[in-house]
């Protein structure tokens, strides 16, 4: 069970809260898993996972947002992380919706549920007019999550030494895609 402190917001099935150093063990379940990290340059050591959490916490301080721990409401289990990060794309800083979940929780719609809430949270921040997701072209599951929350592929760029799909959404574009009466 994880205590729900530093709550940021919640979805139907999860609480998203600020990440803490005591989340490193749970994060290692993702960051050290070669299948979960298949589209990243490499898996991460415990020391790299600790640095990951430090950078996330610096982002809370510097930007007012970051990746958040996704905790299941019904069991209190750590399921993954989802949130907002600053990424450089084509010489310009963009705000990215990022998500990584433990493999045992894949296929349950949790990433989509969390990413949708993070998208809405982002667009409620002053001055946030656009969000992106940077996705390896081969990561079809991640591409589907982006599409389900309203992002569309805009272009491909060279980043991290490989081609990356840039998915994007503008604030207000959902009103034209979703009819609230449906």
């Amino acid at each position: 069970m994880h205590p729900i402190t530093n709550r940021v917001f919640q979805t139907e099935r999860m609480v998203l809260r600020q990440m803490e150093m005591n989340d490193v063990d749970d994060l290692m379940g993702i960051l050290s898993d070669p299948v979960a990290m298949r589209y990243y340059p490499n898996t991460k050591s415990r020391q790299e996972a600790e640095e990951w959490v430090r950078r996330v916490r610096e982002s809370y301080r510097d930007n007012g947002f970051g990746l958040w721990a996704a905790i299941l409401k019904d069991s209190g289990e750590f399921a993954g992380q989802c949130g907002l990060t600053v990424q450089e794309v084509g010489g310009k800083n963009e705000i990215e919706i990022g998500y990584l979940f433990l493999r045992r929780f894949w296929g349950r719609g949790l990433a989509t549920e969390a990413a949708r809430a993070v998208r809405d949270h982002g667009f409620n921040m002053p001055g946030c007019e656009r969000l992106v997701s940077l996705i390896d072209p081969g990561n079809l599951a991640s591409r589907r999550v982006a599409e389900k929350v309203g992002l569309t592929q805009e272009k491909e760029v060279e980043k991290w030494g490989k081609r990356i799909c840039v998915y994007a959404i503008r604030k207000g574009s959902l009103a034209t895609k979703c009819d609230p009466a449906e």
Side-chain angles (χ1 to χ4, degrees):
M1 287 288 275
H2 282 263
I4 307 297
T5 56
N6 298 317
R7 177 183 306 218
V8 179
F9 54 91
Q10 59 186 328
T11 70
E12 182 183 337
R13 296 180 287 172
M14 293 170 282
V15 170
L16 275 71
R17 64 153 172 81
Q18 288 188 1
M19 211 170 299
E20 299 163 359
M21 287 311 289
N22 64 8
D23 291 317
V24 169
D25 286 339
D26 288 320
L27 266 177
M28 286 300 294
I30 302 170
L31 301 179
S32 69
D33 179 348
V35 176
M37 297 297 285
R38 176 178 173 195
Y39 298 105
Y40 283 74
N42 55 305
T43 57
K44 309 275 182 220
S45 68
R46 181 172 184 81
Q47 184 177 345
E48 289 169 316
E50 290 170 356
E51 182 55 33
W52 180 286
V53 173
R54 275 193 283 282
R55 281 195 314 271
V56 165
R57 295 196 56 80
E58 287 171 7
S59 180
Y60 300 152
R61 182 194 68 217
D62 298 344
N63 303 311
F65 57 78
L67 292 168
W68 296 296
I71 308 299
L72 298 179
K73 287 180 182 178
D74 64 356
S75 65
E77 287 179 275
F78 176 97
Q81 61 180 355
C82 186
L84 299 168
T85 61
V86 177
Q87 294 281 7
E88 183 274 323
V89 181
K92 178 181 169 191
N93 280 344
E94 298 266 18
I95 300 175
E96 179 189 26
I97 301 172
Y99 36 88
L100 271 172
F101 281 76
L102 289 163
R103 230 183 330 147
R104 72 178 182 269
F105 295 113
W106 289 4
R108 299 185 191 181
L110 293 172
T112 300
E113 181 179 323
R116 187 174 288 125
V118 165
R119 174 204 67 201
D120 294 347
H121 181 81
F123 283 144
N124 283 324
M125 296 185 313
C128 182
E129 296 296 320
R130 174 181 153 91
L131 295 167
V132 301
S133 279
L134 306 179
I135 304 172
D136 184 291
N139 192 341
L140 300 180
S142 187
R143 292 174 74 167
R144 279 193 300 274
V145 169
E147 290 165 359
K148 286 179 188 174
V149 299
L151 286 81
T152 54
Q153 186 176 345
E154 185 177 86
K155 61 186 173 185
E156 286 190 15
V157 297
E158 186 75 22
K159 188 168 179 67
W160 304 306
K162 62 182 182 176
R163 300 296 292 166
I164 295 291
C165 296
V166 178
Y167 279 75
I169 186 171
R170 290 209 155 276
K171 187 175 186 172
S173 67
L174 286 173
T176 59
K177 291 183 180 177
C178 302
D179 178 0
E182 290 180 343

